Amino acid sequence: MSTLIPDTTPCRVALVEDDVVFQRAFTDAVAASGDCVMAGVASSLAAGMVLLQGPAADVLVVDLGLPDGSGIDLIHAAQNAWPACGVMVSTMFGDEAHVMRSLEAGATGYLLKDNSASLTQEIRSLHAGGSPISPMIARQVLMRFRQAPPAPPAIGAQEESALLSAREREVLSLITKGFTANEIADLIQVSRHTVPTYVRRIYRKLKVNSKAEAIYEAHQHGFISP
């Protein structure tokens, strides 16, 4: 049996941010990380749209308050241009409207700039299938769900299962059993950078934003193998 050679390909990170000081600090942190590299930097919405026409990044970090428009428009565009890319918001806007619109647009992480000292660690977390969210933002999201009306009846297990490919169901099954992204990569013999791509597709298809929600849906509908 052949042994899987560990994938040492660095995580490619793109940044769309107009604050030059933040840009410099961010790029320095990525350069010092050892396992991440910058794939591109843009200072406006228009420049960000051009960036999306190039090679895809693994993680896209977006500020919402860009000089020529909203970063939410860029998140929408990234879903089509770079579908396997994880999107993290890094912003000063902590109000519910910006948070919910960003998550609905496709962001899987949301960090306030006053709480982003360990941003490279959060990038690793998002790339591994996590959903980094500042504590204050997480509380808002939880309160929003508490106040929401009862959800409509869930679709049947067979119909829901059809949304996922056989490999995606396999990955979800391993997630529910507590395996890490690197362990899953070893078990199914793929690159460790491929697993987060499967995870993001699963989240998108199940309309969830975290591993806990994905596990809940898997057990709720019973469409994965025990």
Side-chain angles (χ1 to χ4, degrees):
M1 179 178 177
S2 62
T3 301
L4 182 68
I5 300 174
D7 187 346
T8 57
T9 304
C11 174
R12 290 168 48 80
V13 184
L15 173 68
V16 180
E17 164 66 61
D18 65 315
D19 186 327
V20 177
V21 175
F22 186 93
Q23 276 189 15
R24 186 177 300 115
F26 183 91
T27 53
D28 287 347
V30 168
S33 69
D35 58 354
C36 298
V37 295
M38 291 302 303
V41 178
S43 300
S44 66
L45 176 59
M49 292 296 189
V50 173
L51 189 64
L52 292 179
Q53 297 174 19
D58 297 309
V59 174
L60 172 64
V61 179
V62 181
D63 184 15
L64 298 184
L66 298 173
D68 56 343
S70 172
I72 294 174
D73 293 331
L74 188 70
I75 297 173
H76 274 295
Q79 296 305 296
N80 294 320
W82 295 349
C85 177
V87 179
M88 182 187 300
V89 171
S90 175
T91 185
M92 296 296 293
F93 297 120
D95 59 283
E96 181 178 327
H98 279 96
V99 172
M100 299 313 297
R101 287 180 61 205
S102 296
L103 296 179
E104 289 167 358
T108 49
Y110 198 108
L111 298 177
L112 297 177
K113 284 186 176 177
D114 60 358
N115 190 39
S116 57
S118 59
L119 194 53
T120 52
Q121 183 58 41
E122 304 294 9
I123 288 171
R124 294 187 188 99
S125 174
L126 187 144
H127 186 49
S131 296
I133 298 180
S134 294
M136 187 179 81
I137 302 303
R139 183 178 180 85
Q140 283 190 29
V141 174
L142 288 173
M143 293 301 295
R144 173 69 174 263
F145 280 111
R146 286 181 183 177
Q147 297 167 3
I155 61 179
Q158 185 174 0
E159 183 180 351
E160 180 111 8
S161 179
L163 295 172
L164 303 180
S165 67
R167 179 47 63 88
E168 289 164 351
R169 290 198 297 273
E170 181 182 13
V171 171
L172 180 55
S173 178
L174 292 171
I175 289 173
T176 65
K177 294 173 182 175
F179 289 99
T180 66
N182 287 344
E183 290 170 339
I184 293 173
D186 289 338
L187 287 168
I188 65 176
Q189 295 287 286
V190 299
S191 159
R192 67 184 180 90
H193 291 303
T194 300
V195 174
T197 299
Y198 286 125
V199 172
R200 284 192 286 271
R201 289 176 184 168
I202 291 168
Y203 285 8
R204 188 173 301 119
K205 290 181 178 181
L206 298 184
K207 296 181 174 61
V208 299
N209 293 300
S210 70
K211 182 170 75 171
E213 290 178 314
I215 292 174
Y216 173 81
E217 290 296 326
H219 287 300
Q220 184 75 6
H221 301 295
F223 59 81
I224 62 170
S225 301

